[in-house]
Coordinates of all heavy atoms in Angstrom, one line a residue:
N7 N 11.4 11.7 15.3 CA 11.5 12.9 14.4 C 11.1 14.1 15.2 O 9.9 14.4 15.3 CB 10.7 12.7 13.2 CG 11.0 13.8 12.1 OD1 11.4 14.9 12.4 ND2 10.8 13.4 10.8
V9 N 11.3 17.2 14.6 CA 10.6 18.2 13.8 C 9.2 17.9 13.7 O 8.3 18.8 13.8 CB 11.3 18.3 12.4 CG1 10.6 19.3 11.5 CG2 12.8 18.7 12.6
E13 N 6.1 20.2 15.3 CA 5.1 20.8 14.4 C 3.7 20.3 14.7 O 2.8 21.1 14.6 CB 5.5 20.5 12.9 CG 6.7 21.1 12.4 CD 6.6 22.6 12.2 OE1 5.5 23.1 12.0 OE2 7.7 23.3 12.2
L14 N 3.6 19.1 15.0 CA 2.3 18.5 15.4 C 1.7 19.2 16.7 O 0.5 19.5 16.8 CB 2.3 17.0 15.6 CG 2.5 16.2 14.3 CD1 2.6 14.7 14.7 CD2 1.3 16.4 13.4
T25 N -11.5 24.2 15.9 CA -12.7 25.0 15.3 C -12.9 24.6 13.9 O -14.0 24.5 13.4 CB -12.4 26.5 15.5 OG1 -12.2 26.8 16.9 CG2 -13.6 27.3 15.0
V38 N -25.2 16.2 4.2 CA -25.7 14.8 4.1 C -27.2 14.7 4.5 O -28.0 14.1 3.7 CB -24.9 13.8 5.0 CG1 -25.5 12.5 5.1 CG2 -23.5 13.7 4.5
G40 N -29.3 17.1 4.7 CA -30.1 17.9 3.8 C -30.4 17.2 2.5 O -31.5 17.2 1.9
K50 N -41.0 11.5 -2.7 CA -42.2 11.3 -1.9 C -42.3 9.9 -1.3 O -43.3 9.1 -1.4 CB -43.5 11.5 -2.8 CG -43.6 13.0 -3.2 CD -44.9 13.2 -4.1 CE -45.0 14.7 -4.5 NZ -46.2 14.9 -5.3
R55 N -33.2 5.1 -1.1 CA -32.9 3.9 -2.0 C -31.4 3.8 -2.2 O -30.6 4.7 -2.0 CB -33.6 4.1 -3.4 CG -35.1 4.1 -3.3 CD -35.7 4.0 -4.7 NE -35.3 5.1 -5.5 CZ -36.0 6.3 -5.6 NH1 -37.2 6.4 -5.0 NH2 -35.6 7.3 -6.4
G80 N -2.0 25.0 0.2 CA -1.9 26.1 1.2 C -1.3 25.6 2.5 O -0.7 26.4 3.2
E89 N 10.0 29.3 7.2 CA 11.2 29.2 8.1 C 12.3 30.1 7.6 O 13.0 30.8 8.4 CB 11.7 27.8 8.2 CG 10.7 26.8 8.8 CD 10.7 26.9 10.4 OE1 11.5 27.7 10.9 OE2 9.9 26.2 11.0
R90 N 12.5 30.2 6.3 CA 13.5 31.0 5.7 C 13.1 32.5 5.9 O 14.0 33.3 6.2 CB 13.7 30.7 4.2 CG 14.8 31.4 3.6 CD 15.0 31.0 2.1 NE 15.4 29.7 1.9 CZ 14.6 28.7 1.4 NH1 13.3 29.0 1.0 NH2 15.0 27.5 1.3
S115 N 3.6 16.8 9.1 CA 2.8 17.7 10.0 C 1.9 18.6 9.3 O 0.8 19.0 9.8 CB 3.8 18.5 10.8 OG 4.6 19.3 10.0
I117 N 0.2 17.8 6.3 CA -0.9 17.1 5.8 C -1.7 16.4 7.0 O -2.8 15.8 6.7 CB -0.5 16.1 4.8 CG1 0.3 15.0 5.4 CG2 0.2 16.8 3.6 CD1 0.7 13.9 4.4
A118 N -1.1 16.4 8.2 CA -1.8 15.7 9.3 C -3.2 16.3 9.6 O -4.1 15.6 9.9 CB -1.0 15.8 10.6
G127 N -14.4 12.7 9.1 CA -15.6 12.6 8.3 C -16.0 11.2 8.0 O -17.1 10.9 7.4
S132 N -20.0 6.7 6.7 CA -20.5 5.4 7.0 C -22.0 5.3 6.9 O -22.6 4.2 6.9 CB -20.0 4.9 8.3 OG -20.5 5.8 9.4
F149 N -10.7 6.1 -0.6 CA -9.9 6.8 0.4 C -8.4 6.5 0.2 O -7.5 7.4 0.6 CB -10.3 6.4 1.8 CG -11.5 7.2 2.3 CD1 -12.8 6.8 2.0 CD2 -11.3 8.4 3.0 CE1 -13.9 7.5 2.4 CE2 -12.4 9.1 3.4 CZ -13.7 8.7 3.1
G163 N 4.2 20.6 -2.9 CA 4.3 21.9 -2.2 C 5.5 22.1 -1.4 O 6.1 23.1 -1.3
V164 N 6.0 21.0 -0.7 CA 7.2 21.1 0.1 C 8.4 21.3 -0.9 O 9.4 22.0 -0.5 CB 7.4 19.8 0.9 CG1 8.8 19.7 1.6 CG2 6.3 19.6 1.9
I178 N 1.8 29.8 -5.3 CA 1.3 30.0 -6.6 C 1.7 28.9 -7.5 O 1.0 28.3 -8.3 CB 1.7 31.4 -7.2 CG1 1.0 32.5 -6.4 CG2 1.4 31.4 -8.7 CD1 1.4 33.9 -6.8
F186 N -3.1 22.3 -13.1 CA -2.8 21.6 -14.3 C -3.2 20.1 -14.3 O -3.8 19.6 -15.2 CB -1.2 21.6 -14.5 CG -0.8 20.8 -15.7 CD1 -0.8 21.2 -17.0 CD2 -0.2 19.5 -15.5 CE1 -0.4 20.5 -18.0 CE2 0.2 18.7 -16.5 CZ 0.1 19.2 -17.8
A188 N -5.6 18.8 -12.3 CA -7.0 18.6 -12.1 C -7.9 19.1 -13.3 O -8.9 18.6 -13.5 CB -7.4 19.3 -10.8
F193 N -8.7 19.0 -20.2 CA -8.9 19.7 -21.5 C -8.0 19.2 -22.5 O -8.4 19.0 -23.7 CB -8.6 21.2 -21.2 CG -8.6 22.1 -22.5 CD1 -9.7 22.4 -23.1 CD2 -7.3 22.5 -23.0 CE1 -9.7 23.2 -24.3 CE2 -7.3 23.2 -24.1 CZ -8.5 23.6 -24.8
Y256 N -2.5 6.1 -12.8 CA -2.6 7.1 -11.7 C -1.6 6.8 -10.6 O -0.9 7.7 -10.1 CB -4.0 7.2 -11.2 CG -4.3 8.3 -10.3 CD1 -4.8 9.5 -10.8 CD2 -4.1 8.3 -8.9 CE1 -5.0 10.6 -10.0 CE2 -4.4 9.3 -8.1 CZ -4.9 10.5 -8.7 OH -5.1 11.6 -7.8
L263 N 5.8 11.0 -8.8 CA 5.9 12.4 -8.5 C 6.2 12.7 -7.0 O 7.0 13.6 -6.7 CB 4.5 13.0 -8.8 CG 4.3 14.5 -8.6 CD1 5.3 15.3 -9.5 CD2 2.9 14.9 -8.8
I269 N 12.9 13.8 -3.1 CA 14.3 13.8 -3.4 C 14.8 15.1 -3.7 O 15.9 15.6 -3.2 CB 14.6 12.8 -4.5 CG1 14.3 11.3 -4.1 CG2 16.0 12.9 -5.0 CD1 14.5 10.3 -5.2
A271 N 13.5 18.0 -2.9 CA 13.5 18.9 -1.7 C 14.6 18.5 -0.7 O 15.2 19.4 -0.1 CB 12.1 18.7 -1.0
R281 N 23.7 29.0 -0.8 CA 23.7 30.0 -1.8 C 23.2 31.3 -1.1 O 23.7 32.4 -1.5 CB 22.7 29.6 -2.9 CG 23.2 28.5 -3.8 CD 22.1 28.1 -4.8 NE 22.6 27.0 -5.6 CZ 21.8 26.4 -6.5 NH1 20.6 26.8 -6.7 NH2 22.3 25.4 -7.3

Side-chain angles (χ1 to χ4, degrees):
N7 192 331
V9 177
E13 294 289 337
L14 288 177
T25 304
V38 170
K50 297 181 180 180
R55 296 192 297 268
E89 295 279 356
R90 187 180 293 113
S115 63
I117 66 176
S132 63
F149 277 89
V164 173
I178 292 174
F186 174 81
F193 173 77
Y256 189 91
L263 179 63
I269 291 176
R281 290 176 181 174

